[in-house]
């Protein structure tokens, strides 16, 4: 999670308790590739709309740069319009589509 946990929007403040409550962002390296993957970017509901998601993603991207990555990838549900808008505003582009088939439990 290096560089992604407890990111604070510009002008914001952070205490250790707030950092844990606000959210988190994880990352992993894909083998020998120079692509980093952002994982589990979450912001606690009471902190949404205050810039914490944007600050967390910026921290993740900066960490990837520092590690020598040439790209950052992530997965987001098609129905999560707020997150998709955030990622698009940060320069992420849709490069694929995942499809699924729901199976009956019977």
């Amino acid at each position: 999670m290096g560089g992604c946990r407890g990111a604070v929007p510009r002008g914001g403040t952070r205490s250790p308790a707030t950092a844990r409550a606000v959210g988190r962002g994880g990352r992993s390296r894909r083998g020998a590739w120079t692509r980093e993957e952002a994982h589990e970017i979450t912001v606690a509901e009471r902190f949404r709309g205050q810039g914490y998601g944007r600050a967390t993603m910026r921290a993740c991207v900066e960490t990837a740069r520092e590690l020598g990555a040439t790209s950052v990838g992530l997965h987001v549900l098609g129905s999560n319009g707020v997150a998709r808008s955030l990622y698009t505003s940060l320069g992420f582009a849709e490069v694929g589509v995942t499809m699924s088939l729901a199976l009956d439990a019977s």
Side-chain angles (χ1 to χ4, degrees):
M1 298 231 194
C4 298
R5 176 171 279 188
V8 179
R10 289 187 187 126
T13 59
R14 177 181 74 160
S15 71
T18 302
R20 284 190 298 276
V22 168
R24 62 189 175 155
R27 40 158 294 279
S28 67
R29 180 156 285 222
R30 300 287 300 229
W33 301 347
T34 56
R35 174 185 167 107
E36 291 284 325
E37 292 282 333
H39 295 278
E40 299 179 32
I41 306 302
T42 61
V43 175
E45 192 169 339
R46 68 182 181 174
F47 292 103
R48 291 180 186 162
Q50 299 176 43
Y52 288 98
R54 181 173 302 280
T56 299
M57 286 306 301
R58 284 182 172 154
C60 287
V61 169
E62 186 56 34
T63 297
R65 276 194 186 102
E66 291 169 1
L67 293 171
T70 58
S71 67
V72 177
L74 56 81
H75 296 274
V76 61
L77 293 174
S79 61
N80 192 341
V82 172
R84 291 178 69 190
S85 291
L86 168 65
Y87 302 144
T88 299
S89 76
L90 291 169
F92 284 83
E94 188 176 298
V95 294
V97 175
T98 300
M99 299 174 72
S100 77
L101 171 66
L103 301 176
D104 290 334
S106 53

